[in-house]
Amino acid sequence: MTTTDSTNPLLVSVGLPPYDRITPADVEPGVNEMLTRAEQILESLEASDDLSWDAVMTPLEQIDLLFEYGWSPVTHLMSVLSSEELRTAHDSVQPRVVEFGLRLRQSRRIYEKLTALRASDAWPSMKGARQRIITRSIQQSELSGIALSDEDRSVFNTIEQELSQLNTKFANNVLDATKAWHLDLTDSAQVEGLPESLKRLMASAWSAADGNSDHETATAESGPWRVTLDHPCFGPFMEHCRDRQLRETAYRQYIQRAASGKTDNTNLISRILKLRQQKSELLGFRNYAELSLSTKMADDTSAILSMSERLRSAAYDAAKQELNEVSKIAAENGHEGDLCHWDIPFWAERLREERYAFTDEQLRPYFSLDRVLNGLFGLCHQLFGITVSKAENGVAPVWHKDVRYYDVADESGNTIAGFYLDPFSRPSNKRGGAWMNDCIGRSVTQKSVRLPVAHLVCNSTPPAGEVPSLLTFREVETLFHEFGHGLQHMLTTIDERDAAGINGVEWDAVELPSQFMENWCYHRPTLMQMAIHFETGEPLPDDLYQKLCAARNYRAASQLLRQLQFGLTDIELHSSFEPDGSESPFDVERRIAETTSVMMPLPENKFLCAFQHIFAGGYAAGYYSYKWAEVLSADAFAAFEEAGLDDADAVTRTGRHFRDTVLALGGSEHPMDIFRRFRGRDPDPDALLRQCGLLKSARP
Ligand code: ZN
């Protein structure tokens, strides 16, 4: 029997989603009923002539809420409690959900209402947050071609379709080209020095290959071992393979992926760039970078270029120095002649071992989950005045017995938010990695106040007997990172859903709170409070702490230059590049490499043919966002350093200011305005350089 509307747990509209009651059998009837209700609201909205914020936005908010309780729990459970039954139920309703989403976003009537509202007398006196929500919504519709003439829209749709096919083709070519090459090693001398985990990976790659699976199985100890171009194999292989010839062979294959034969992406690159240019012009932009930046924090390409140049000029000599250090250790260990590309990762890894020898396993006993959480919550109490407390079991409905629910209270003790923590790995039904997403968004109307609730999902090792859940340092950083996203969601003070928390935050600004929180993992008092050995009760030894901090900036300049090279190539290809001009995309990349690499790429390097971020992913004219957000977060953290990290009052004062600006205002204002409110000025790239150890000068 399936549940009907009145009892279906996907059709509630208050409180927390009843996770303990949702079953796969509820999905089809619940989601279908939800969609029917949403369609009714949409139809009456489209039919109405009322024109005011409430008349237009309240129905849209109602639709949003239907999805928040009726669809989000389904997608959430797909990632934390998946099952064959749930997947089948999800797949059966998904097409209708997608279709409704498209209809809503492409509603001509809603678009007309919003533009009329913007032109109405009510507009100038409307709250800034509301103006931003409407402006953004109009802009999104326009970027999907809604305002074009019928003729132009038909061209636009054809371009969109071809682009979508080309993106898929590009990604498939990279995948196929990556798979097309491998090298089987059978002599144990060839794998000498490779880490155990890599040998295991290579042996299982050999075993899993066609024709090898049915007769014998490879082992980490005796092989055969298969070298592949997949990142988990290729990266460590280049760092650890002692056989220079093998490294060269693998490297040359790697830089030529998807650059010839059946999987050649060369022509796809030109075609994609050309279509993006046409699309941009149809929508009234000069080029694709302009289109991309129209929805981002960075104003224009010159803002990105000047930030990049500041970072580049500060990193260049340091990167040369880093290369010299690697050359030196290579020479000391018998390497003759100049280093080639395939030597750098190998010798850089030897240098890392020499300088900062520590392993994940050495650190793990110092980071038990509960201590780390206490440290994190204590820090948030100090910085933001919030108190995090675990709710009694049974208060919040959960999807698994290990899941905990926490209340977040402000300084006066009022509950302002809550979050779920699903801490442990469950390979059988839970997706890997760590993430934060919203469960309930904050919204305040005349009738109701809905407090924000977040999902915080991690995959740490579950406790076993007397041994608590122990985290690697990387996992500690990830937890802080995701909690930073959660803070922005939970500490928002904005009443309009579409601008509250992370909603409506430009994507090059969205990593500011998360990366900001990561910085505290290196803050000595914060770290030392958490890092207590679970058996001995000893604090983390000082030399390990020093190594941890030093390792953070190992080869920082080289890595920075590499990211700038990608970002600048991306921006140039999407702004000043002319698809029919005399320069090829590869020429552009080489020209940029002249100032952003201390060792020029080989002439046959075709990295662009595998650059999926910009040709198959969402990072086109957006790759710079990585560094942009790092500049923002480093500069935000620098405000605390300037105030004095040892001065508790100053830290608290600065923390409250950060809470009341960056965390509270979310998407209600332009992120640059919010940043200026916090910092009193524009972002300064020097903060990132100081953090990376690339700028020794005193702080202003
Ligand atoms: Zn993030």
Side-chain angles (χ1 to χ4, degrees):
M1 244 201 40
T2 54
T3 45
T4 56
D5 333 347
S6 58
T7 55
N8 192 302
L10 297 173
L11 295 172
V12 302
S13 55
V14 287
L16 295 166
Y19 281 122
D20 52 345
R21 292 201 287 122
I22 301 171
T23 67
D26 297 316
V27 173
E28 215 175 316
V31 173
N32 278 325
E33 173 61 23
M34 172 201 83
L35 285 166
T36 305
R37 293 181 189 180
E39 275 156 9
Q40 281 163 1
I41 298 173
L42 177 57
E43 272 157 31
S44 72
L45 169 61
E46 287 181 326
S48 140
D49 287 325
D50 286 353
L51 201 65
S52 68
W53 168 269
D54 283 332
V56 183
M57 299 309 287
T58 306
L60 290 175
E61 182 159 309
Q62 285 168 346
I63 292 176
D64 233 28
L65 280 173
L66 282 170
F67 276 77
E68 189 157 276
Y69 284 97
W71 180 242
S72 304
V74 178
T75 55
H76 174 64
L77 291 174
M78 285 282 284
S79 48
V80 292
L81 195 71
S82 89
S83 67
E84 200 54 46
E85 294 78 27
L86 182 64
R87 211 170 312 141
T88 309
H90 170 272
D91 292 356
S92 75
V93 286
Q94 197 193 24
R96 222 184 129 195
V97 172
V98 172
E99 198 184 318
F100 179 81
L102 278 177
R103 185 174 154 207
L104 182 66
R105 278 195 300 280
Q106 295 176 351
S107 163
R108 178 96 204 166
R109 275 293 286 157
I110 296 178
Y111 171 72
E112 284 163 359
K113 279 168 186 280
L114 293 175
T115 45
L117 206 50
R118 187 174 56 179
S120 72
D121 295 342
W123 180 257
S125 58
M126 202 182 276
K127 262 209 271 185
R130 294 186 170 187
Q131 289 188 347
R132 232 174 90 88
I133 290 169
I134 291 175
T135 306
R136 215 177 147 81
S137 181
I138 292 173
Q139 186 186 31
Q140 270 158 3
S141 301
E142 288 175 348
L143 291 180
S144 66
I146 206 162
L148 296 175
S149 69
D150 288 349
E151 199 181 322
D152 281 352
R153 194 165 53 248
S154 138
V155 177
F156 179 84
N157 288 341
T158 314
I159 291 177
E160 284 289 82
Q161 257 174 24
E162 190 182 343
L163 271 176
S164 139
Q165 285 161 4
L166 291 173
N167 290 347
T168 310
K169 179 90 181 119
F170 190 96
N172 288 342
N173 280 345
V174 176
L175 193 71
D176 292 345
T178 303
K179 273 198 266 177
W181 183 86
H182 65 259
L183 185 66
D184 288 339
L185 307 178
T186 48
D187 180 354
S188 59
Q190 292 173 304
V191 297
E192 216 170 294
L194 300 189
E196 199 54 30
S197 57
L198 177 59
K199 284 198 276 186
R200 226 179 299 130
L201 185 77
M202 291 166 70
S204 66
W206 187 88
S207 300
D210 284 346
N212 293 340
S213 48
D214 26 306
H215 50 105
E216 43 187 327
T217 310
T219 62
E221 299 74 48
S222 47
W225 303 270
R226 173 163 288 195
V227 189
T228 72
L229 300 178
D230 272 326
H231 233 273
C233 176
F234 178 75
F237 183 78
M238 295 304 288
E239 285 172 357
H240 296 283
C241 173
R242 292 178 186 169
D243 185 331
R244 190 169 186 236
Q245 199 73 55
L246 285 178
R247 293 200 306 264
E248 178 178 352
T249 308
Y251 178 82
R252 287 185 178 280
Q253 290 294 332
Y254 189 80
I255 59 164
Q256 291 263 353
R257 279 177 310 152
S260 64
K262 273 191 293 193
T263 57
D264 192 353
N265 273 337
T266 311
N267 292 332
L268 267 63
I269 292 176
S270 313
R271 183 72 188 152
I272 289 171
L273 290 173
K274 204 178 264 184
L275 288 171
R276 284 182 182 157
Q277 176 66 27
Q278 282 174 16
K279 170 181 164 177
S280 311
E281 286 171 14
L282 270 175
L283 294 174
F285 297 99
R286 276 181 306 176
N287 53 54
Y288 192 80
E290 216 174 65
L291 186 162
S292 162
L293 297 183
S294 73
T295 56
K296 296 194 171 73
M297 174 178 176
D299 270 343
D300 48 30
T301 51
S302 70
I304 296 166
L305 297 181
S306 76
M307 176 203 78
S308 302
E309 179 53 24
R310 173 69 191 121
L311 298 177
R312 190 203 68 80
S313 59
Y316 196 80
D317 287 342
K320 269 192 187 158
Q321 184 56 32
E322 288 171 0
L323 180 60
N324 289 341
E325 289 167 359
V326 172
S327 305
K328 188 160 162 276
I329 191 175
E332 285 164 5
N333 286 275
H335 180 92
E336 283 168 19
D338 288 341
L339 291 185
C340 294
H341 287 277
W342 46 89
D343 299 318
I344 310 283
F346 179 80
W347 291 111
E349 193 54 26
R350 303 290 79 72
L351 185 59
R352 185 205 301 275
E353 287 168 356
E354 187 183 290
R355 282 191 190 166
Y356 323 107
F358 64 85
T359 65
D360 276 353
E361 296 316 310
Q362 233 175 315
L363 287 173
R364 214 190 258 274
Y366 293 94
F367 295 108
S368 60
L369 177 68
D370 285 315
R371 269 194 194 280
V372 172
L373 288 174
N374 284 341
L376 172 60
F377 300 158
L379 173 71
C380 291
H381 181 74
Q382 190 203 353
L383 295 179
F384 313 127
I386 56 169
T387 304
V388 177
S389 47
K390 188 164 168 286
E392 295 286 328
N393 285 346
V395 169
V398 295
W399 53 92
H400 187 276
K401 65 173 176 49
D402 290 343
V403 176
R404 314 157 180 194
Y405 185 83
Y406 293 85
D407 280 312
V408 178
D410 66 10
E411 283 147 313
S412 335
N414 301 316
T415 300
I416 52 168
F419 66 93
Y420 286 98
L421 174 68
D422 185 348
F424 306 130
S425 117
R426 290 189 301 277
S428 62
N429 59 16
K430 180 172 163 186
R431 184 154 66 82
W435 67 91
M436 186 301 287
N437 57 24
D438 42 345
C439 171
I440 307 282
R442 177 183 156 93
S443 67
V444 176
T445 62
Q446 279 155 338
K447 287 192 221 111
S448 68
V449 178
R450 245 173 256 273
L451 296 181
V453 175
H455 295 132
L456 193 65
V457 184
C458 305
N459 264 288
S460 41
T461 321
E466 296 292 290
V467 183
S469 172
L470 298 173
L471 275 58
T472 64
F473 186 68
R474 183 67 217 135
E475 287 171 336
V476 175
E477 283 180 297
T478 306
L479 180 66
F480 273 61
H481 178 105
E482 299 305 336
F483 203 71
H485 286 306
L487 286 168
Q488 189 170 35
H489 177 66
M490 295 188 286
L491 301 191
T492 189
T493 56
I494 301 303
D495 294 344
E496 287 78 10
R497 285 175 64 82
D498 290 342
I502 52 177
N503 289 339
V505 178
E506 278 74 357
W507 104 327
D508 47 353
V510 89
E511 295 297 336
L512 163 55
S514 52
Q515 294 180 350
F516 164 79
M517 285 302 291
E518 282 185 47
N519 285 299
W520 294 96
C521 297
Y522 295 89
H523 176 236
R524 200 185 165 96
T526 303
L527 186 79
M528 286 309 183
Q529 207 195 347
M530 312 189 284
I532 310 280
H533 197 285
F534 81 97
E535 280 174 322
T536 64
E538 298 281 319
L540 185 75
D542 194 60
D543 68 314
L544 263 178
Y545 171 71
Q546 299 300 344
K547 281 181 184 172
L548 201 60
C549 293
R552 184 189 190 190
N553 286 338
Y554 180 57
R555 289 177 60 73
S558 310
Q559 279 162 19
L560 177 56
L561 280 189
R562 190 176 153 81
Q563 290 296 311
L564 291 174
Q565 188 181 335
F566 296 161
L568 288 167
T569 304
D570 169 40
I571 282 293
E572 176 134 356
L573 287 178
H574 289 105
S575 56
S576 52
F577 177 68
E578 286 180 32
D580 296 320
S582 56
E583 243 188 351
S584 78
F586 305 103
D587 297 334
V588 172
E589 197 201 1
R590 287 192 71 77
R591 176 159 50 72
I592 287 169
E594 276 165 24
T595 54
T596 53
S597 66
V598 289
M599 187 188 269
M600 277 300 278
L602 294 180
E604 59 270 36
N605 187 318
K606 289 286 168 70
F607 161 74
L608 280 183
C609 288
F611 197 5
Q612 300 198 67
H613 274 85
I614 69 165
F615 293 116
Y619 280 86
Y623 197 88
Y624 75 93
S625 299
Y626 287 110
K627 281 297 150 217
W628 185 270
E630 271 181 58
V631 165
L632 300 180
S633 57
D635 199 12
F637 189 72
F640 289 80
E641 295 173 323
E642 287 160 25
L645 285 173
D646 300 325
D647 178 344
D649 287 343
V651 167
T652 296
R653 222 172 24 247
T654 315
R656 296 301 190 276
H657 190 36
F658 187 75
R659 179 193 69 188
D660 296 339
T661 51
V662 175
L663 297 178
L665 299 176
S668 70
E669 289 180 25
H670 192 278
M672 189 61 98
D673 294 334
I674 295 178
F675 188 90
R676 286 188 195 122
R677 275 173 186 262
F678 172 60
R679 212 56 177 102
R681 55 161 175 73
D682 285 0
D684 180 2
D686 284 5
L688 179 61
L689 292 171
R690 270 188 213 102
Q691 188 181 83
C692 298
L694 295 171
L695 197 63
K696 302 289 192 287
S697 70
R699 226 163 260 124

